[in-house]
Structure formats: structure tokens, C-alpha cells
Amino acid sequence: MTRSTLLCPPIFYDIVYSINPWMQGAKVDKALAMQQWFQLKNILSHIGVNIKLIDQSPDLPDMTFTANAGTVRDNAVVLSNFKHPVRQGETEHFREWFRKEGYNIHPLPPNAIFEGTGDTVICDDLLIGGYGFRSNLTGLRMAAEILDLELLPLKLTNPNFYHLDTCFALLRPDLGLYYPGAFSAYTISKLKKHMELIPVSESSANKFVCNSIVHNGVIIMPAGNEEVADKLEGYGFSARLINTSEFLKSGGSLKCMSLWI
Ligand code: ARG
């Protein structure tokens, strides 16, 4: 199946504020960041993904993380309501992009905090949603209702894994990759009712292994995760690894840079 993904070339990507524990002010090598982003784009094209692009606004350094723009199902998009004021300006740019592309746009009221596919993933008729650091329960509930999905809310408990896509990846509708240290035992038991879960170590989680992208049996993973890659090859996936050092400095990696539409 051909799928599309929205990417934002990191022309103005930078770290000028801190809104998660990874953003410690490390200097971004901008040329390297661009190279790493191009590697992602090239692999995605190579495996048959239809690439869509949005221009980055000069005053919005995190706009490259398009996963946070909203959540799309068919022709409907629930637009994000960012928690932090420094990212709130992104919404109007994404809204304009979705408008031009002909989507039915669903904004949320101010009390509904929602950071799109950073915190949500659609699994058949289920919206798996993470809340606690960025998106809130109100945001997840409203998004699920708009998209006509049943909500499976998962409380995130570890500030280093502040978005769901930093600690959970849906590999197949019946299989997930997750970092147990980001959830309570009760939350994990809820998720286990829906799928088999492959746990990763803290050291792999810190290398953002759960921020991998899966498409057509290929898993694109952040570099340094060879051990997990070998394991997933045993599950039938073919792994590609990309160094995302410049984006890790901002608390993001591959999946954060792509919005599946
Ligand atoms: N610096 C960005 C932020 O804190 C990183 C976003 C990562 N996105 C994601 N989907 N996890 O908002």
C-alpha cells in the first residue's frame, strides 16, 4: 500500500529553548542535521513512500518534527494544540498546508492539549494515545471522538519519554515495541490486551529506538540500535539505520520528523 508522509526540511531547525529534558543547549551542526534528514527522505522514497513537504517558518525551530502537527484519518485531520507557547505558532502553518491539500480540518478548544502523532497512533479502530506530559486526556478524548476511534489512553510517567512515540512503536496491528520504564505496570497490562509487546532496555530507549518508522516490512531505526534491529529481523522486518545525532539533541528522531497521512 502506498502511503504518504509529510516532512519539513530542517532549514531553520535549531535548539534555542528547552521544553524537554534532552534539550540541554547542545549546539546543532546544521549541515549535518540536513544530511541526516536527507538520508531519512531518501530511504522513505526508496521504499515507496510518497513524500510531501512543508516549508519551515524561520521562527519555529521545532517545526521539523512534523509528527506533532496533528493526527490524520482518511480526509480528516485533528490539528494540534501545542502545550508550550514556543511551538504554538506551528499550528497555523500546518492548518494552511492541510487546507490547501483539501483536508477536513478539526481544531480543538484551548483546554484540549494535543500534540498529534507524537502522542497518538491509529491501530485499526483504536486510537492509542499517550498523555501526561504534552497531550492531555481531554485532547485525546476529543481527537478519538472526531476521528471515530475508540481511545486506549496510556499514561506516560517518565519525563525523558514525554511523547508516546519516544517509548512505543506500533510495528504491526498485533505487535509493539516499547520501553517499560516509561509506563506504570497497570498501563502496560492495558496495552498487552491488544498486542504482543517487545520490551527494550533503557539504553536502547535512550537511543530513541522506539522512534523508529515502520513501512511495508521495513523498519528505519536510529543508529546504535543494531541489537534491537537484529531481534526485529527475526520478526520478519528488514532494518535500516540512520544516524540522527543532531535531532536527538532536541529530544527527537526519525518518527518525530514524519507525519503519516
Ligand atoms: N524539541 C521537540 C519538542 O520538545 C521535539 C519533538 C519530538 N517530537 C516527537 N514526536 N516526539 O517538542
Side-chain angles (χ1 to χ4, degrees), residues 14-171:
D14 206 351
I15 300 173
V16 295
Y17 49 75
S18 176
I19 54 172
N20 72 55
W22 305 92
M23 301 177 91
Q24 298 289 347
K27 211 172 148 31
V28 173
D29 179 333
K30 295 197 182 178
L32 184 57
M34 190 57 87
Q35 267 178 35
Q36 295 175 342
W37 179 86
F38 264 107
Q39 275 177 33
L40 171 63
K41 179 172 177 282
N42 290 342
I43 292 186
L44 287 171
S45 304
H46 190 74
I47 63 173
V49 177
N50 182 27
I51 309 281
K52 307 260 187 182
L53 295 173
I54 184 170
D55 288 333
Q56 183 165 18
S57 176
D59 55 336
L60 298 167
D62 272 337
M63 199 175 151
T64 296
F65 299 111
T66 53
N68 298 122
T71 299
V72 173
R73 186 181 192 204
D74 302 325
N75 201 40
V77 57
V78 178
L79 269 191
S80 290
N81 252 355
F82 285 92
K83 172 169 178 173
H84 295 288
V86 284
R87 292 200 67 182
Q88 286 167 358
E90 294 178 33
T91 301
E92 66 176 86
H93 295 277
F94 288 118
R95 179 202 295 266
E96 185 53 16
W97 188 88
F98 284 114
R99 191 191 62 74
K100 284 194 187 138
E101 293 281 316
Y103 282 83
N104 291 327
I105 299 172
H106 300 270
L108 294 173
N111 64 325
I113 309 296
F114 183 67
E115 298 205 352
T117 61
D119 274 328
T120 55
V121 54
I122 298 175
C123 178
D124 297 329
D125 291 335
L126 203 61
L127 184 71
I128 304 177
Y131 69 97
F133 293 107
R134 296 295 183 86
S135 302
N136 63 16
L137 255 182
T138 306
L140 295 181
R141 284 189 183 128
M142 288 187 173
E145 198 181 319
I146 292 165
L147 299 174
D148 195 21
L149 295 163
E150 191 193 323
L151 178 65
L152 177 66
L154 306 176
K155 188 168 168 33
L156 304 176
T157 55
N158 182 334
N160 288 345
F161 301 96
Y162 59 95
H163 274 140
L164 182 65
D165 70 0
T166 64
C167 48
F168 172 75
L170 187 66
L171 304 179

Side-chain angles (χ1 to χ4, degrees), residues 166-185:
T166 64
C167 48
F168 172 75
L170 187 66
L171 304 179
R172 289 194 314 241
D174 62 344
L175 184 66
L177 186 73
Y178 84 120
Y179 172 49
F183 306 94
S184 71

